Amino acid sequence: MKTNPEIKIDIPKSINKTDLADLCNITEQAIKAGGGFGWLNVPPRDILNKYWKGITLMPNRKLIVGRFNSVIAGSLQLFFCPANNEAQHKITNIVSHFVAPWARGFGLAKAMIDVAEQKTLEFGANCVQLDVRETQEAAIKLFESKGYKRWGINPYYALVEGKNLKGYYFYKKIK
């Protein structure tokens, strides 16, 4: 039986030790479950620590975290084009979006997307883009349910265990 957890979405300006441990733990879990946003094998903890600490230092990225009863259980990174890319300044990209396996099914992923879309509008952009590996069927269904349109397929998007996998490209005009 599912309980009603407290779901909260926020954008941390820095990462404290507890949040860093949460992010590393759920990253490891997501990689093992096949949704590690590019990682196929769990890297050493020091690599994960450096990765997550570096995200908040990147000026064109916003780390959006989903909390499940105060524990970080998911993340999404929203990438804004740098100032020199005037041609695409109205576009943001969702990258590295995932929810820990134990926190799926409670609306956390949808809530993070909603905040990403809100931040896109606040930034002055009006279109969100993303790409998803063909094996991430739940993510594909999620983005389609949120109104994202698939516009392209790359037959050589990823190589997993010696097999080429397709990648699907999506966009959503939000204003």
Side-chain angles (χ1 to χ4, degrees), residues 2-8 67-70 102-103 105-107:
K2 288 188 178 180
T3 60
N4 291 325
E6 178 189 356
I7 301 295
K8 182 181 175 200
R67 296 182 186 275
F68 185 103
N69 294 334
S70 300
W102 54 267
F106 293 95

Side-chain angles (χ1 to χ4, degrees), residues 79-146:
F79 176 78
F80 299 90
C81 289
N84 68 304
N85 190 346
E86 293 176 343
Q88 294 181 324
H89 76 282
K90 293 286 188 181
I91 299 169
T92 61
N93 288 275
I94 290 176
V95 296
S96 306
H97 180 219
F98 72 100
V99 174
W102 54 267
R104 293 177 183 161
F106 293 95
L108 200 58
K110 286 182 181 181
M112 287 188 291
I113 293 168
D114 291 342
V115 170
E117 291 176 2
Q118 175 190 354
K119 291 298 171 192
T120 292
L121 291 172
E122 288 174 14
F123 180 73
N126 62 12
C127 183
V128 181
Q129 298 179 354
L130 59 101
D131 52 87
V132 179
R133 198 169 35 202
E134 72 176 312
T135 55
Q136 296 171 316
E137 295 172 4
I140 292 166
K141 288 178 185 173
L142 168 65
F143 284 112
E144 289 174 342
S145 78
K146 296 293 289 174

Side-chain angles (χ1 to χ4, degrees), residues 47-97:
I47 299 293
L48 288 176
N49 282 333
K50 287 176 188 174
Y51 173 82
W52 286 113
K53 286 178 183 177
I55 293 300
T56 58
L57 301 175
M58 300 172 84
N60 292 3
R61 277 188 200 247
K62 292 290 180 204
L63 174 62
I64 298 171
V65 298
R67 296 182 186 275
F68 185 103
N69 294 334
S70 300
V71 175
I72 293 179
S75 80
L76 177 153
Q77 293 173 44
L78 189 61
F79 176 78
F80 299 90
C81 289
N84 68 304
N85 190 346
E86 293 176 343
Q88 294 181 324
H89 76 282
K90 293 286 188 181
I91 299 169
T92 61
N93 288 275
I94 290 176
V95 296
S96 306
H97 180 219

Side-chain angles (χ1 to χ4, degrees), residues 22 26 86 164 170:
D22 288 348
I26 65 169
E86 293 176 343
N164 285 309
F170 292 87

Side-chain angles (χ1 to χ4, degrees), residues 33-51:
F37 54 89
W39 271 310
L40 300 175
N41 300 295
V42 176
R45 184 55 75 106
D46 66 314
I47 299 293
L48 288 176
N49 282 333
K50 287 176 188 174
Y51 173 82

